[in-house]
């Protein structure tokens, strides 16, 4: 159970922060960067929810909770025989995302062009969230490339699926794709 009775601790005033296992690291560390990007993606999803349909809002509420799980996963390095079992992203969470992608995409017409971010406010925020999730994914790949860092690989899989899910949901929020803003290649080259 989390209990926050004091918001500031002054512990980060020197540029360090504590991981979930108590280890002190620089705020610029690859691990802190990765879960910071996840936190930003979650915040953009909060903005998307302000404009989303009730059905999309319910999906995004679940995903926001999963993103807190994912941030907690990244915040606690993997170790053998931990004193307390840490929260980790699981395959069923990834499977749920895949099922939602398949279900939502089944009602959409195939694309004949790339889509520009835009359309409804919900779709625009979902596109923004998608790009932040991709940045979180790249930060996680960077973290995974470190020989001194142990990371649950399902974090990367979840982030990869989430960006796909957000793309599909943006099309749903654009009137099942009818309001998608399509890219017109070279439309403005001649002035």
């Amino acid at each position: 159970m989390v209990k926050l009775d004091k918001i500031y601790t002054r512990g980060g005033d020197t540029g360090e922060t504590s991981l979930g296992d108590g280890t002190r690291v620089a705020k610029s560390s690859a691990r802190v960067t990765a879960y910071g990007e996840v936190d930003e993606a979650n915040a953009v999803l909060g903005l998307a929810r302000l404009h989303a349909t009730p059905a999309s809002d319910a999906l995004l509420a679940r995903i926001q909770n999963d993103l807190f799980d994912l941030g907690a996963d990244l915040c606690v390095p993997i170790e053998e025989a931990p004193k307390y079992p840490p929260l980790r992203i699981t395959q069923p969470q990834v499977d749920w995302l895949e099922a939602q992608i398949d279900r939502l995409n089944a009602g959409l017409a195939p694309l004949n062009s790339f889509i520009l971010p835009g359309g409804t406010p919900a779709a625009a925020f979902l596109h923004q969230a998608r790009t932040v999730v991709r940045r979180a994914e790249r930060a996680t790949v960077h973290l995974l490339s470190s020989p001194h860092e142990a990371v649950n690989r399902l974090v990367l899989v979840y982030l990869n699926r989430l960006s796909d899910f957000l793309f599909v949901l943006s099309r749903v929020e654009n009137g099942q794709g009818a309001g998608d803003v399509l890219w017109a290649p070279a439309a403005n080259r001649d002035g």
Side-chain angles (χ1 to χ4, degrees):
M1 177 59 80
V2 174
K3 180 182 177 191
L4 299 174
D5 56 358
K6 187 169 179 154
I7 300 304
Y8 66 90
T9 63
R10 295 186 177 100
D13 291 353
T14 61
E16 289 188 340
T17 191
S18 293
L19 297 179
D21 65 357
T23 304
R24 298 289 291 172
V25 297
K27 288 185 176 185
S28 61
S29 76
R31 186 173 294 276
V32 174
T33 298
Y35 68 72
E37 303 289 0
V38 170
D39 190 33
E40 184 179 348
N42 208 339
V44 179
L45 289 180
L47 292 171
R49 290 185 65 195
L50 295 174
H51 304 282
T53 62
S56 293
D57 181 59
L59 296 171
L60 293 171
R62 178 176 172 151
I63 288 167
Q64 281 193 299
N65 199 77
D66 281 353
L67 284 178
F68 254 78
D69 289 355
L70 193 143
D73 190 330
L74 285 170
C75 187
V76 179
I78 292 176
E79 64 176 279
E80 287 191 36
K83 184 175 179 180
Y84 302 102
L87 187 58
R88 299 287 181 218
I89 289 294
T90 64
Q91 187 63 48
Q93 288 171 296
V94 173
D95 294 342
W96 181 85
L97 263 182
E98 289 178 352
Q100 299 312 307
I101 293 167
D102 293 342
R103 179 181 67 81
L104 294 171
N105 200 47
L108 299 173
L111 286 170
N112 297 319
S113 176
F114 287 108
I115 294 176
L116 300 176
T120 65
F125 280 120
L126 289 167
H127 278 292
Q128 183 181 15
R130 175 184 55 78
T131 64
V132 176
V133 168
R134 285 289 190 206
R135 186 173 356 116
E137 183 182 6
R138 291 189 301 272
T140 302
V141 168
H142 178 70
L143 178 62
L144 281 163
S145 72
S146 172
H148 304 98
E149 297 283 3
V151 180
N152 174 8
R153 296 203 60 91
L154 283 175
V155 166
L156 185 61
V157 175
Y158 186 93
L159 291 171
N160 192 15
R161 292 306 176 283
L162 179 56
S163 62
D164 295 334
F165 169 84
L166 295 173
F167 176 78
V168 170
L169 191 62
S170 74
R171 296 196 66 213
V172 169
E173 285 293 320
N174 268 341
Q176 294 298 110
D180 286 340
V181 181
L182 300 180
W183 174 45
N188 304 311
R189 285 193 329 188
D190 297 327

